[in-house]
Amino acid sequence: MPKVCRSGQARTLTPAELERLVMAIPSMPVRTLCQVMRFTGSRVRETTLLTWACLHHDRIVFRRVTTKTSTTREPLIGPRLAAELVAYREWWCTLIGTAPRPSEYVFPSRTSTTQSISPQAVDKALRKAIRVAGLPTGCSTHTFRRSLATTMAMQGIDLKTVQRFTGHTNLNMLARYIDVSPERELSALATIGG
């Protein structure tokens, strides 16, 4: 059941719907931040708190002090996200006028590179993009996280690998994140003659 009035779980989206959503975000920082969440399964709070020191050529380090589970997580950066981060860094350097220092936030506030963008600002921009993209209600910043877990699981990726991205402390908690499509429910019913 999709999220309604802050109750329930965030709706999952297909890769095509996620693409439509991300392309509807006009702000380069918020668009890139959403791509990080989309391809790493990160939460909005831990993503807003990334500093440039957290970005490596092959991994993003979500420091334990910023994660909900208080454990460091280092998901792999795929080619698509790597390209997006390179383009974003170039944009950032042009906007700020200098290369970023390791301690500066990757996604800064409007007023300072030593303060991060707020999760509320990300949520506000995302809600506007959801309307522009014509996506259904029930989407939130958590949609990226649930969509990653669901898409990977539906493609047959083992839960331990999915857990490596999401950082869930146990597989039972991760299983709650994974959505089941109506097609899979029908397929399950067909196996029992229903």
Side-chain angles (χ1 to χ4, degrees):
M1 178 167 94
K3 188 178 235 175
V4 178
C5 297
R6 302 185 64 85
S7 295
Q9 291 189 321
R11 180 182 295 275
T12 59
L13 297 176
T14 66
E17 290 171 323
L18 287 169
E19 190 67 26
R20 220 168 72 221
L21 173 56
V22 169
M23 291 303 114
I25 301 169
S27 162
M28 180 76 153
V30 176
R31 185 170 54 247
T32 306
L33 186 146
C34 287
Q35 291 288 57
V36 170
M37 291 190 302
R38 174 184 179 186
F39 292 116
T40 66
S42 59
R43 294 175 181 88
V44 68
R45 167 55 76 192
E46 62 195 16
T47 309
T48 62
L49 296 176
L50 287 171
T51 62
W52 286 99
C54 297
L55 300 183
H56 301 275
H57 75 282
D58 64 337
R59 296 198 179 270
I60 293 180
V61 178
F62 293 97
R63 297 169 293 141
R64 69 181 183 87
V65 296
T66 67
T67 66
K68 183 178 177 181
T69 58
S70 297
T71 56
T72 297
R73 190 171 79 258
E74 298 182 26
L76 190 66
I77 297 174
R80 168 89 185 270
L81 182 56
E84 302 244 2
L85 289 170
V86 166
Y88 176 71
R89 188 178 195 283
E90 290 172 6
W91 175 89
W92 198 94
C93 290
T94 301
L95 179 73
I96 304 301
T98 183
R101 292 186 298 263
S103 62
E104 290 180 301
Y105 286 102
V106 176
F107 306 109
S109 71
R110 289 182 178 213
T111 58
S112 172
T113 60
T114 58
Q115 293 180 324
S116 68
I117 188 172
S118 72
Q120 295 79 12
V122 176
D123 183 66
K124 184 177 179 181
L126 186 63
R127 290 187 187 285
K128 188 174 187 179
I130 290 165
R131 284 191 303 275
V132 169
L135 293 168
T137 60
C139 296
S140 71
T141 56
H142 228 59
T143 289
F144 296 102
R145 186 169 167 78
R146 288 199 69 227
S147 296
L148 174 127
T150 298
T151 301
M152 285 182 168
M154 289 176 75
Q155 294 300 317
I157 305 300
D158 65 278
L159 291 184
K160 285 295 274 183
T161 302
V162 177
Q163 184 183 31
R164 176 105 171 138
F165 282 86
T166 64
H168 281 92
T169 53
N170 66 60
L171 295 179
N172 288 336
M173 289 301 293
L174 173 58
R176 290 180 33 196
Y177 264 65
I178 298 170
D179 203 1
V180 178
S181 71
E183 295 81 18
R184 289 185 75 126
E185 287 179 301
L186 286 172
S187 176
L189 281 174
T191 64
I192 60 168

